Amino acid sequence: APPPPAAPPAMPAVPPAAHAGPAGSTASPEPPLLRWLRTPRPAAAPGIWTYGHRPRAAEEPERVPTRQLVSGAVISFLCGWLLWSLLWNNYLGSYWLFPLVLLTPDSWRDGTDPMAFVWATYIYYGLFVVLLAVVFGRLGRWPELVRRLAHPLVRRVRDRAPARTPEPAADPAQWPELRAQGAPDAADKLAAEARAGRMNDVDVARIARAWRSVRSGKNTVADFTDTVLRKGAAACAHPSGRRDLAHRTADHDLLAHQVRIGTAADHPRNPYQHRGAGCALEPGVLGTSLLAVGPAGSGKTTRLVKPVVESMCLQALAGQAAVIAVGPAGADLGPDDAFDVVVRIGRPAPECDLDLYGGTTDPDEAAGILAEALVGDLAGQLPGGDSRRAATALAQLLGPFRAAHDRFPSVPELRELLDGATEPIAALRTALEDTGEHTLLRELDARARQSERPGDVGVLLADRIALLDRPTFADFFDPTGRTRQVSLRALDHPLRVRIELPERGHAEASRILARLVLAQFTECAVARADRSLFACLVLDEAAHTITAEALRGLQRLRSANAGAVLTLRALDDVPDALRSALLGAVGCRMAFAGVTTWDGARFAEVWGKEWVETRDVTDRQIIAEGAAMKAFHVFRHLVTGKAATAKAVTVRTVERERWSASDLANQLPAGHAVLSVTTVKGEHAPPVLVDLRG
């Protein structure tokens, strides 16, 4: 046989500058905004951060440890090399050359055409080596080892390499939709603003929403183009004039309306597609409302509430949302400059007030909202099992008072009317007689008759309204119009409101106000004529605010492009009869590290079970039959100290809880939470263990 071919010359090393990232490139760096616009956002399961997301395989491959892969590859390579050496040196005979002899003519081997035989021999050697490489490569899993070691390096080099500029027709940074719909001048202006660095992501989202209003017919293309040409990136600005927040604490993607709250842990309980992916929340998910349960210090405010409030404030600046953030005084829900209005209830010299009646002029509607706030938590103890009688009693007073004074009563005036004070009732009756309101006089007389009955609900209402009739609240809830009040009737505007509740020293009053805001929000969000804005209520620490009426209101928010985010320290802060209903009313549920076992049992029940494959391994003793085998077993027992056994593996498919109560209470690491989400369209994702620090 001819001698083996010489080794090919070594390839020259690739210079580092050829695969370096932006630091090694001499070209001008691309503005971050353009890179953000051009980054693809693939379709993903609900709750996954789509910016730069790379979907994984549909099924989880068999995971072999890297050390085992390397050792197997080395052993298979050595075996293949040994076999080739034995064949090359004819230690195994020359039978492996028979195909070469059979496929080549005799004239090539007798010296007539020696070069043809040399080339045929080299080709045959090469094919045989390739065959050996394929066989031993499959045995040693070389392709999987290359994928595991080389793919991360290739991906890292690809991410660092400067991206090529796409064609203008497909480049989002060139605003192709505006060009196609007859606004090329505006598109050129916006593209120049982006290249010059005078535009941010809030500007992009805000101008995109303004363009959607043009497409819907609310504005004209000429007006839109004129505004963009005059103001550039500042066109269609928020009424406050703000174009961004002074400081951000989370990652936001305003094109996808998402805020990232953590990373799905690489845990066996997590679905394979979620492992290592970012976890995010968006209006499409928050529209089903979210409930977070965890003890104090578990990270509900800092790692969930604050990023969500920050995201809603950014989307409000972009004209896409309205947010009402409610929390106790001192809660870190964001700086003051991130909001249009900050209502500090109980603080002296307030800059803004809260409308006690939600901005409505209907006495019955105002009475229903106020009754829910005052006695909603005691509805089960009231006659009839709900707050309808309390709402009727309030309506019997609010209607006549508004007809007489063209406004609703203040807190002290309402307390006097509920107490049945003689002078206020007589003055109200006189005013109604002067105006000829005989129907409302009958309402007032009915209230007077009911107040004389034992167990009248007016006594309870008077006791509850007295909690708000304190010197601390003297400057608040003024219905005369002398103060600047926040009304939730304005949810069709991109509002940013933060309400601080006086939890210290006025815990019961704080709970009444929390129920009041929740009742007003659920009523006003559904009653909006324009639902294009996503209305979000963030209620940090919602203890003793969940009632049966509040649950019905939360369920109505899905169809009104609105949602609520509620946090609880424990489900014990909710009446026992409403705990399961609360978990069923919300579409997103979050259990933080440190939840109790009985709270974990509620979550485990609502998350249900799944079919999993289990393996049971049992050891059985081997009984030797022959004398030699018995002697061998005795010798083995003397050496190892163990009897000879054989392992039996039983594979079964069983139904198991996705997360058991014990797992939630004892296995969640600090800084982690289990999150399940559901979209308003009905799509849902199973519970995922999220690292909130990642």
Side-chain angles (χ1 to χ4, degrees):
M11 296 296 294
V14 180
H19 55 78
S25 176
T26 58
S28 59
E30 185 182 38
L33 179 68
L34 300 183
R35 187 164 58 251
W36 172 70
L37 284 171
R38 292 164 179 164
T39 301
R41 292 162 177 82
I48 287 183
W49 175 258
T50 59
Y51 179 72
H53 174 65
R54 294 183 177 88
R56 307 182 76 175
E59 297 182 0
E60 180 179 5
E62 183 181 358
R63 186 71 178 181
V64 180
T66 304
R67 173 193 284 181
Q68 184 176 345
L69 278 180
V70 173
S71 60
V74 171
I75 293 175
S76 64
F77 174 75
L78 294 178
C79 292
W81 189 11
L82 176 61
L83 179 59
W84 171 253
S85 178
L86 294 175
L87 293 174
W88 182 259
N89 293 285
N90 291 326
Y91 287 111
L92 300 180
S94 58
Y95 62 89
W96 64 285
L97 296 174
F98 289 164
L100 176 64
V101 176
L102 294 176
L103 295 176
T104 56
D106 296 337
S107 60
W108 291 7
R109 295 189 300 274
D110 59 8
T112 304
D113 193 358
M115 290 305 300
F117 184 68
V118 170
W119 280 106
T121 304
Y122 276 101
I123 293 174
Y124 181 78
Y125 289 165
L127 293 176
F128 202 87
V129 170
V130 169
L131 177 63
L132 291 178
V134 170
V135 173
F136 286 94
R138 291 182 64 86
L139 292 176
R141 300 183 179 181
W142 294 358
E144 184 176 350
L145 180 63
V146 171
R147 285 194 301 268
R148 188 173 301 183
L149 298 181
H151 281 196
L153 179 62
V154 173
R155 188 182 301 114
R156 192 179 303 115
V157 172
R158 182 179 57 189
D159 293 342
R160 294 177 58 187
R164 297 191 308 181
T165 304
E167 296 296 330
D171 187 3
Q174 298 297 325
W175 300 84
E177 187 175 354
L178 272 66
R179 300 179 188 276
Q181 299 297 328
D185 296 339
D188 293 338
K189 179 67 175 179
L190 295 176
E193 293 279 282
R195 288 193 301 269
R198 293 188 294 267
M199 180 181 287
N200 59 22
D201 54 349
V202 178
D203 297 331
V204 173
R206 186 185 65 252
I207 294 174
R209 173 173 171 77
W211 176 250
R212 287 195 296 271
S213 68
V214 173
R215 296 292 306 277
S216 63
K218 296 181 179 179
N219 296 307
T220 63
V221 177
D223 293 340
F224 175 81
T225 303
D226 179 67
T227 303
V228 171
L229 293 179
R230 285 188 294 106
K231 298 183 178 180
C236 313
H238 187 265
S240 66
R242 297 288 187 115
R243 295 170 54 192
D244 200 355
L245 300 180
H247 180 66
R248 300 188 186 187
T249 59
D251 295 331
H252 303 272
D253 183 9
L254 294 182
L255 284 185
H257 315 290
Q258 289 186 325
V259 56
R260 179 168 180 157
I261 61 172
T263 304
D266 190 5
H267 193 274
R269 289 289 183 89
N270 283 349
Y272 177 69
Q273 293 82 0
H274 286 74
R275 296 177 191 175
C279 293
L281 297 175
E282 57 183 298
V285 166
L286 296 178
T288 61
S289 297
L290 184 147
L291 174 67
V293 179
S298 59
K300 300 190 300 297
T301 301
T302 57
R303 295 191 175 101
L304 173 65
V305 173
K306 189 174 181 180
V308 170
V309 171
E310 187 175 276
S311 175
M312 290 296 108
C313 288
L314 288 172
Q315 295 186 42
L317 291 178
Q320 300 173 346
V323 57
I324 309 294
V326 184
D332 187 13
L333 301 183
D336 293 350
D337 57 5
F339 299 90
D340 301 320
V341 177
V342 178
V343 183
R344 296 182 172 90
I345 300 178
R347 298 286 186 91
E351 298 179 359
C352 195
D353 192 6
L354 179 65
D355 190 350
L356 191 65
Y357 302 98
T360 183
T361 57
D362 184 2
D364 293 327
E365 183 179 349
I369 293 175
L370 193 56
E372 172 66 17
L374 294 177
V375 297
D377 57 331
L378 301 177
Q381 306 174 13
L382 298 177
D386 52 30
S387 59
R388 286 181 296 178
R389 291 195 178 184
T392 302
L394 287 172
Q396 290 171 343
L397 296 175
L398 296 181
F401 192 95
R402 179 168 181 80
H405 301 282
D406 197 25
R407 63 175 178 85
F408 288 121
S410 63
V411 171
E413 292 171 338
L414 181 58
R415 181 183 180 184
E416 290 179 347
L417 294 175
L418 289 172
D419 282 334
T422 305
E423 294 183 3
I425 295 292
L428 181 57
R429 185 183 302 275
T430 302
L432 292 175
E433 291 175 350
D434 294 341
T435 56
E437 297 287 350
H438 300 290
T439 304
L440 296 177
L441 276 173
R442 289 197 299 269
E443 289 285 305
L444 196 60
D445 293 338
R447 176 88 288 272
R449 291 192 301 269
Q450 293 174 5
S451 63
E452 297 175 356
R453 299 176 181 176
D456 178 48
V457 72
V459 179
L460 179 59
L461 290 172
D463 292 341
R464 282 303 182 94
I465 201 67
L467 296 172
L468 301 180
D469 188 18
R470 306 297 302 162
T472 304
F473 309 127
D475 298 332
F476 291 87
F477 319 122
D478 185 9
T480 60
R482 293 176 298 179
T483 59
R484 179 191 176 196
Q485 286 192 330
V486 172
S487 173
L488 299 192
R489 290 287 166 181
L491 286 177
D492 51 356
H493 296 81
L495 288 178
R496 298 175 299 160
V497 180
R498 192 183 79 210
I499 302 175
E500 294 184 359
L501 302 179
E503 185 173 342
R504 296 181 181 178
H506 301 277
E508 194 62 36
S510 177
R511 294 167 184 170
I512 291 176
L513 294 174
R515 288 195 296 270
L516 176 67
V517 175
L518 179 58
Q520 290 184 2
F521 179 82
T522 55
E523 186 68 29
C524 297
V526 175
R528 291 182 300 168
D530 182 9
R531 297 181 177 179
S532 59
L533 294 181
F534 177 74
C536 181
L537 172 67
V538 181
L539 185 53
D540 192 17
E541 194 52 48
H544 304 283
T545 62
I546 305 301
T547 63
E549 186 63 29
L551 291 182
R552 285 189 285 269
L554 289 176
Q555 292 174 336
R556 293 197 303 267
L557 294 178
R558 294 194 182 196
S559 59
N561 195 23
V565 178
L566 311 174
T567 66
L568 291 171
R569 294 184 180 179
L571 289 177
D572 292 339
D573 296 331
V574 179
D576 186 34
L578 299 178
R579 293 172 191 171
S580 298
L582 173 61
L583 290 172
V586 298
C588 305
R589 309 166 189 93
M590 199 168 185
F592 282 75
V595 295
T596 59
T597 306
W598 41 92
D599 283 350
R602 297 278 184 175
F603 281 97
E605 181 181 3
V606 75
W607 280 331
K609 300 180 180 181
E610 62 179 347
W611 290 98
V612 296
E613 186 179 274
T614 61
R615 292 172 175 258
D616 297 332
V617 181
T618 58
D619 290 340
R620 62 179 182 85
Q621 186 175 358
I622 301 176
I623 300 176
E625 297 181 356
M629 187 61 66
K630 290 182 179 179
F632 175 74
H633 285 181
V634 171
F635 177 76
R636 178 178 176 179
H637 187 274
L638 292 176
V639 173
T640 62
K642 298 180 180 179
T645 58
K647 291 185 177 181
V649 180
T650 303
V651 180
R652 296 182 301 171
T653 302
V654 298
E655 196 175 18
R656 187 189 65 183
E657 291 179 328
R658 297 179 184 272
W659 284 90
S660 66
S662 179
D663 292 337
L664 292 173
N666 303 310
Q667 301 298 326
L668 294 189
H672 289 63
V674 179
L675 169 67
S676 66
V677 298
T678 304
T679 67
V680 292
K681 296 180 180 179
E683 301 175 356
H684 65 277
V688 176
L689 178 63
V690 181
D691 184 1
L692 301 174
R693 301 167 299 184

